Amino acid sequence: MGTTVFERRIPQPSVIEHALGGTSHSTFWIDDLPEALKPSRPKLAGTAVADLVVVGGGYTGLWTALLAKERNPDAHVVIVEAKRVGWAASGRNGGFCEASLTHGHENGMARWPKEMETLDRLGLENLDAIEAAEAKYGMDFQFERTGQLAPAVEEHQVEWLKEWYDEATARGEEGLVYLDEAAMQASVASPTYLAGVWEQRTNGMLHPARLAAELARVAEERGVEIFEHSPVRRLETPGSTGAVSVVTDGGRIDAKHAVLATNVFPSLLKRNRLMTVPVYDYVLMTEPLSAQQLADIGWNDRQGIGDMANQFHYYRLSKDNRILFGGYDAIYNYGRKVRESYEHRPESWQRLASHFFTTFPQLEGLRFSHQWAGAIDTSTQFTAFFGTARDHRVAYAAGFTGLGVGSTRFAAETMLDLLERRENERTSLEMVRKRPLPFPPEPAAAIGINATRWSLDRADHNRGRRNLLLKTLDALGLGFDS
């Protein structure tokens, strides 16, 4: 087996120790919210009646509530959130807002080749709508349509990049720029970069917690009620009433329809309990870079960056010129539980810090201000699945697998279409009509996922060559990813 660039160029331990000394274990994006975007909201108490009740106050639920009010301004829409708006994945992610609804073109072509032209167009339209939302609603979530840069950091990845670029341009994809080693170094100065492709149209950077907070603010201005600190314990659908009820410890909402936007958390529907697994992702955020440090690395176009390994890194600049650096480790814990204790993993932050200074050795001496983690709702098809239940009273979407910042808005439109029994371009998609295979129960889930992670790591050490397990999973359309 070979070694990766992150094993060949290891920073001194003292560099890592200095950088992580005094780092706050908290989420930068949430800490960075102004007080005006963190209002105190009540718990649900007593019984109320609504047209639509949404379970979950992250992006999926917030977009659903806002778009439902746009479709019917007179509708009474209620959101019930277990903790605070945007406290989980919606406030902790990297802020990469991608056009892809299929976790990349290759994954989409492997699953829905006949629909990819439509899916690509719908994805770009969805991203355009998110970009336009700042002006439309008077929001500020620091959106920058910078695109994304995919650097090759190993020789075999250069070949992949050239093939990918040639195939994409041949099918007419616009906004792609191929960068050889010299051009890459001129764009972003990292000694690890051998080549790269800049996808200019298909990605934007944003402030994750501000997007959630602004969606909540605008929804409330239009009459949506939001209850926080109100975990839903059960879903009731009495057979004769045609209604659906969500029940918390302190109250209940009786509604015509419900949307389940609980994503990584255990579904209120038994049929969906095995459809996702929680995969923990770890992140570092630096202190703001000085003018000289910025000059040392370039990065003037402020693209999001994601490398090409199976165990990949993603990184971007914040508005105040910090660098968020995350990924690589994607940790599944036996029993598919979501627990706060899983968010504490010093070895992952130490590994990320080492990889950061391998990528940018000229930034040695920089400190990390924040470290945090969160759970990703991973599905076997790497992207969201959709459906309805309980005599069409309930709609759901989950399984975004790390690309939910943009696609949650598409999911909201799709769920509302399904509840309204609309037959249109979205609801006719095979991606919407068919469910992926579930993950197996324990202990098979842990055995399979950990064997897959080991195989992905071995592939990164073996010029990307996939072993029999990975080839079998590819053939079956099964996967595990962060």
Side-chain angles (χ1 to χ4, degrees):
M1 288 290 176
T3 57
T4 69
V5 65
F6 300 105
E7 294 163 328
R8 296 191 298 269
R9 304 185 182 196
I10 300 176
Q12 292 295 320
S14 59
V15 173
I16 309 305
E17 183 179 358
H18 173 78
L20 291 172
T23 303
S24 171
H25 183 78
S26 61
T27 306
F28 167 78
W29 303 119
I30 295 174
D31 291 349
D32 192 54
L33 279 179
E35 289 301 315
L37 288 178
K38 296 188 286 187
S40 177
R41 297 182 174 95
K43 293 182 180 180
L44 177 63
T47 300
V49 177
D51 295 297
L52 174 68
V53 58
V54 178
V55 181
Y59 297 149
T60 308
L62 293 164
W63 277 119
T64 301
L66 176 58
L67 295 173
K69 289 293 286 186
E70 285 205 336
R71 294 185 181 203
N72 182 3
D74 295 328
H76 183 199
V77 180
V78 177
I79 296 174
V80 184
E81 164 56 41
K83 291 190 177 182
R84 297 292 304 273
V85 161
W87 75 276
S90 296
R92 305 182 190 208
N93 64 82
F96 286 64
C97 188
E98 298 197 23
S100 177
L101 303 174
T102 60
H103 209 105
H105 186 82
E106 184 176 331
N107 185 55
M109 284 298 294
R111 302 179 190 283
W112 310 288
K114 295 179 181 179
E115 296 183 344
M116 276 308 296
E117 184 176 347
T118 299
L119 287 164
D120 284 344
R121 175 176 52 78
L122 290 174
L124 278 169
E125 291 173 358
N126 182 67
L127 181 59
D128 290 342
I130 293 171
E131 181 177 18
E134 283 193 309
K136 178 178 180 179
Y137 300 115
M139 295 179 177
D140 176 14
F141 46 87
Q142 300 175 4
F143 189 92
E144 300 177 88
R145 190 75 170 259
T146 57
Q148 182 165 326
L149 191 62
V153 299
E154 306 286 353
E155 288 291 346
H156 67 273
Q157 294 175 0
V158 178
E159 300 170 18
W160 291 353
L161 267 182
K162 289 178 179 176
E163 291 175 3
W164 172 36
Y165 174 78
D166 289 344
E167 290 173 2
T169 52
R171 65 174 177 263
E173 189 168 335
E174 299 176 350
L176 293 181
V177 179
Y178 181 82
L179 304 170
D180 62 16
E181 185 170 2
M184 274 296 296
Q185 296 296 329
S187 179
V188 183
S190 170
T192 66
Y193 292 170
L194 304 177
V197 170
W198 180 11
E199 298 177 90
Q200 296 178 313
R201 299 177 59 215
T202 57
N203 204 313
M205 298 291 106
L206 54 77
H207 189 304
R210 286 190 74 105
L211 174 58
E214 288 281 55
L215 284 170
R217 176 183 65 81
V218 171
E220 288 179 312
E221 287 174 354
R222 285 153 177 75
V224 174
E225 285 190 278
I226 301 177
F227 296 98
E228 295 183 326
H229 304 292
S230 304
V232 174
R233 303 303 183 188
R234 64 184 184 276
L235 191 68
E236 296 180 351
T237 46
S240 60
T241 65
V244 58
S245 301
V246 298
V247 182
T248 70
D249 291 336
R252 66 186 289 138
I253 304 287
D254 300 323
K256 295 177 183 176
H257 292 110
V259 161
L260 303 184
T262 54
N263 298 322
V264 77
F265 296 95
S267 177
L268 292 166
L269 295 172
K270 186 177 180 180
R271 71 173 69 175
N272 287 342
R273 293 288 171 87
L274 297 179
M275 296 302 293
T276 63
V277 294
V279 177
Y280 276 80
D281 184 46
Y282 298 84
V283 183
L284 291 171
M285 179 72 95
T286 73
E287 62 193 4
L289 274 64
S290 68
Q292 183 59 56
Q293 288 168 326
L294 280 170
D296 288 343
I297 62 172
W299 209 348
N300 296 320
D301 295 311
R302 300 179 60 83
Q303 311 99 318
I305 300 179
D307 65 41
M308 300 184 66
N310 289 304
Q311 296 191 111
F312 63 93
H313 308 86
Y314 58 87
Y315 38 117
R316 51 79 56 96
L317 289 165
S318 67
K319 184 177 182 179
D320 61 348
N321 293 322
R322 300 167 186 264
I323 297 177
L324 177 144
F325 197 82
Y328 194 79
D329 282 345
I331 305 301
Y332 173 73
N333 298 280
Y334 186 93
R336 63 205 327 141
K337 302 292 186 183
V338 179
R339 290 178 175 165
E340 187 176 350
S341 60
Y342 296 154
E343 298 173 19
H344 298 263
R345 200 167 192 270
E347 61 266 40
S348 288
W349 291 311
Q350 290 166 4
R351 186 175 296 114
L352 281 172
S354 176
H355 294 180
F356 176 88
F357 290 111
T358 295
T359 304
F360 296 122
Q362 63 270 53
L363 296 181
E364 287 188 6
L366 187 67
R367 290 178 179 268
F368 297 104
S369 61
H370 294 73
Q371 59 186 28
W372 70 90
I376 295 168
D377 58 327
T378 299
S379 71
T380 59
Q381 67 182 18
F382 296 154
T383 191
F385 61 91
F386 309 84
T388 61
R390 309 290 180 89
D391 298 323
H392 225 80
R393 304 177 210 177
V394 178
Y396 57 81
F400 294 93
T401 319
L403 285 187
V405 177
S407 58
T408 49
R409 185 190 177 280
F410 175 84
E413 295 273 30
T414 301
M415 288 188 289
L416 292 172
D417 288 345
L418 291 172
L419 288 177
E420 296 169 12
R421 300 179 185 266
R422 294 192 186 189
E423 295 185 8
N424 59 21
E425 201 168 36
R426 282 187 292 262
T427 58
S428 65
L429 290 168
E430 184 181 351
M431 187 181 77
V432 171
R433 292 184 292 106
K434 293 187 178 180
R435 288 161 58 90
L437 292 172
F439 287 96
E442 298 292 13
I447 294 170
I449 289 170
N450 289 322
T452 303
R453 286 191 67 246
W454 180 88
S455 298
L456 292 170
D457 179 69
R458 292 302 87 192
D460 285 337
H461 285 78
N462 192 26
R463 295 181 55 82
R465 296 186 181 97
R466 298 172 79 79
N467 64 14
L468 180 60
L469 172 61
L470 295 180
K471 290 178 180 177
T472 302
L473 293 174
D474 292 341
L476 293 173
L478 296 171
F480 168 77
D481 198 6
S482 64

